[in-house]
Amino acid sequence: MKITPPPAPAGLSDAAHQAGWRALLHARPVLLVAFAFAVMADPVSSVAYAIEAALRALHGDLGLLLPTMGLVVGLIALVIVNYHQLVARYPQGGGAAAAAGEAFGEAWAFVPIGALIVDFVLTIAISSAAGASAIIAYLPAAAPWRIPLALALTALVAGMTWFGHLGRAVFALMTLAFIAVTAAVLTGGLTAPVHPTGTITHSTGHWAPLAVAVAFPVAMALATGVEAPSSAIAQLGQLDDAGRRRFGRITLWLTLLLVGGITLGLTAEAVHLKIGIPRPDSTQIADLADHAAPGALYGVFQLLTALLLLSAASSSFAAGPGLLKALARHHRPDGHQAGILPAVWGRTNSHHTPYWGVVLFLAVSGVVIVAAGGDDQRLVLFYAVSVFMAFIAGLVAMTRFSLREGKFGHATVNLIGALAVGFVLLVNLSRGEPIASLVAALAIAVLLYRMWVKAGRPRGIRDAAAEAETG
């Protein structure tokens, strides 16, 4: 199919425009790889703690681990089917905030925005804590320094963000390298001897379905980041709407293929090799890698695991302050006042980094790390709550659109997705402590709403997530 370029902009010769268009077309595959693998750094890194979280929720029952993680991947597939529709509707980005704002009025955009802010804090905290766990698993002598190590990693990532975003290509290379080394670990595990490690239990079959139903919502931390393409496509200013829509959809399905494949592969191998709940100075995924690929490959795997987790933290250090910048008071090109937060949150340094936002996210995530004792497995309990609030907002909005437009097949898929996500949210909230994530997200949403009303209800709030990506 021939792709016709748009008309040449004023002041640019037709020959130069045609040459630039041809260069863009040739660069598209590289751009797609860089975009897709950078965006999926967060969900790919989640395998470092999500599988272990499921096993802990199962109290060490390896026999139920594979069906539990299979259910997790299945629900992620359902969410991605819905976000496939959302990306088609909002090719310029915006995700759940754009959908909720259009479906129910701009005020409702604050619900997913509040959830996103909490999600960014928790992503930084859990990624830094899990990075510290990866280091400790390789160097157990560092175990007494877990909290200082996690805080140091958080400060290191914040410091690097201060000097500008690390870049899409770096995240993409980190993700690709982790996937390649994980494939090598899985290959090594095929011939490794079975040697039970850690705590392993066995439950009666009568309670198995209930155990899986209660355990899999904890492991839905694996789903965090799968929605990122719906907002991140706003970065692709060099593409038209059709191009951004295509990139977003391809990235969504690549995420399902790779995250689902890695998760189920590691889970199946952990069950086969009988890798149970690890000792306090290790992780399940580290025990698996040490058993399947001991020696130098194990060390490389732990290093790449830590680096990928820090990449996920770095992306949230860019996205979180970027969202505050988009919400800060500023003048639009048409001269109208926009934004609701004090202008200080929009100030940037010479590297275009909103530095006060970085400081804020560093401080809050540091407090969260200390409160959790640097334990990524404790933070997992809080993690899925905030992002699933954003999921529900987006899915309910898409259900309303589908019904309004008479697309009853789409509406059925949207409603099933919303009910499934709601079930996960309720089960996680029933554990007690994760209610703190819900309260924090709603409190932020209410605070932003009141500031919006005080500012005269300026338009464009629902586009804040997209503006943060383009910023």
Side-chain angles (χ1 to χ4, degrees):
M1 181 180 68
K2 183 178 180 180
I3 300 177
T4 304
L12 185 67
S13 70
D14 186 63
H17 178 60
Q18 292 284 345
W21 182 256
R22 286 193 299 271
L24 175 59
L25 290 180
H26 292 154
R28 277 196 176 200
V30 176
L31 179 62
L32 174 60
V33 170
F35 173 79
F37 284 90
V39 170
M40 71 175 72
D42 188 358
V44 171
S45 70
S46 298
V47 302
Y49 44 80
I51 302 173
E52 180 180 332
L55 185 60
R56 289 180 181 276
L58 291 168
H59 305 290
D61 191 339
L62 277 175
L64 298 179
L65 185 59
L66 191 56
T68 299
M69 296 312 298
L71 192 55
V72 169
V73 173
L75 185 50
I76 290 175
L78 181 59
V79 170
I80 285 178
V81 167
N82 283 276
Y83 270 78
H84 181 89
Q85 298 176 25
L86 194 148
V87 165
R89 192 176 188 92
Y90 301 102
Q92 295 184 357
E102 181 182 349
F104 306 109
E106 284 217 300
W108 286 97
F110 290 116
V111 174
I113 287 174
L116 277 176
I117 291 173
V118 174
D119 180 57
F120 292 144
V121 170
L122 290 174
T123 297
I124 294 169
I126 196 170
S127 297
S128 299
S133 293
I135 294 172
I136 290 169
Y138 189 72
L139 300 171
W145 303 94
R146 179 180 297 275
I147 293 178
L149 179 57
L151 292 175
L153 292 175
T154 309
L156 174 64
V157 176
M160 296 176 72
T161 306
W162 189 279
F163 295 101
H165 201 283
L166 289 178
R168 192 181 294 151
V170 174
F171 292 146
L173 288 174
M174 207 71 68
T175 306
L176 284 165
F178 177 81
I179 291 171
V181 173
T182 300
V185 169
L186 289 172
T187 302
L190 295 176
T191 56
V194 175
H195 181 68
T197 303
T199 302
I200 301 172
T201 63
H202 302 280
S203 61
T204 60
H206 179 72
W207 295 103
L210 178 60
V212 171
V214 172
F216 93 89
V218 175
M220 287 308 304
L222 188 70
T224 56
V226 300
E227 84 294 346
S230 67
S231 291
I233 51 176
Q235 301 171 11
L236 302 171
Q238 63 271 63
L239 302 181
D240 58 11
D241 282 357
R244 285 191 290 270
R245 186 181 292 116
R246 190 177 303 113
F247 271 43
R249 285 176 155 182
I250 290 173
T251 301
L252 283 170
W253 292 109
L254 270 177
T255 300
L256 176 61
L257 176 66
L258 292 172
V259 173
I262 290 172
T263 298
L264 296 180
L266 290 170
T267 302
E269 197 153 278
V271 172
H272 169 67
L273 297 176
K274 300 189 184 304
I275 309 297
I277 297 175
R279 61 187 187 276
D281 61 354
S282 188
T283 67
Q284 187 194 25
I285 194 174
D287 286 350
L288 171 60
D290 190 24
H291 192 71
L297 184 58
Y298 167 61
V300 172
F301 180 81
Q302 289 304 104
L303 175 63
L304 288 175
T305 299
L307 290 176
L308 182 62
L309 285 161
L310 296 184
S311 294
S314 181
S315 67
S316 287
F317 259 125
L323 182 56
L324 297 185
K325 179 179 177 240
L327 291 170
R329 285 194 291 269
H330 61 280
H331 289 284
R332 293 186 178 277
D334 58 9
H336 288 88
Q337 180 76 24
I340 57 175
L341 294 179
V344 65
W345 299 111
R347 293 178 185 172
T348 60
N349 60 18
S350 59
H351 301 281
H352 309 290
T353 301
Y355 48 87
W356 284 117
V358 172
V359 171
L360 177 64
F361 275 85
L362 172 61
V364 176
S365 58
V367 170
V368 170
I369 288 171
V370 173
D375 185 356
D376 54 282
Q377 287 300 313
R378 185 178 181 192
L379 289 171
V380 167
L381 300 176
F382 298 84
Y383 198 22
V385 169
S386 55
V387 75
F388 270 62
M389 285 180 61
F391 284 167
I392 285 181
L395 297 182
V396 171
M398 292 302 295
T399 303
R400 181 167 187 176
F401 294 144
S402 297
L403 290 173
R404 191 169 63 193
E405 296 165 6
K407 299 177 180 178
F408 298 111
H410 285 180
T412 300
V413 173
N414 301 149
L415 184 58
I416 291 173
L419 290 174
V421 167
F423 173 78
V424 170
L425 186 59
L426 287 175
V427 172
N428 279 330
L429 290 175
S430 70
R431 300 176 190 278
E433 287 186 336
I435 292 176
S437 291
L438 176 68
V439 171
L442 291 178
I444 292 171
V446 170
L447 176 62
L448 292 175
Y449 170 76
R450 294 183 64 179
M451 297 179 76
W452 178 64
V453 171
K454 188 176 181 180
R457 301 174 186 260
R459 298 184 61 81
I461 292 300
R462 74 183 193 189
D463 300 320
E467 187 177 338
E469 295 289 350
T470 60

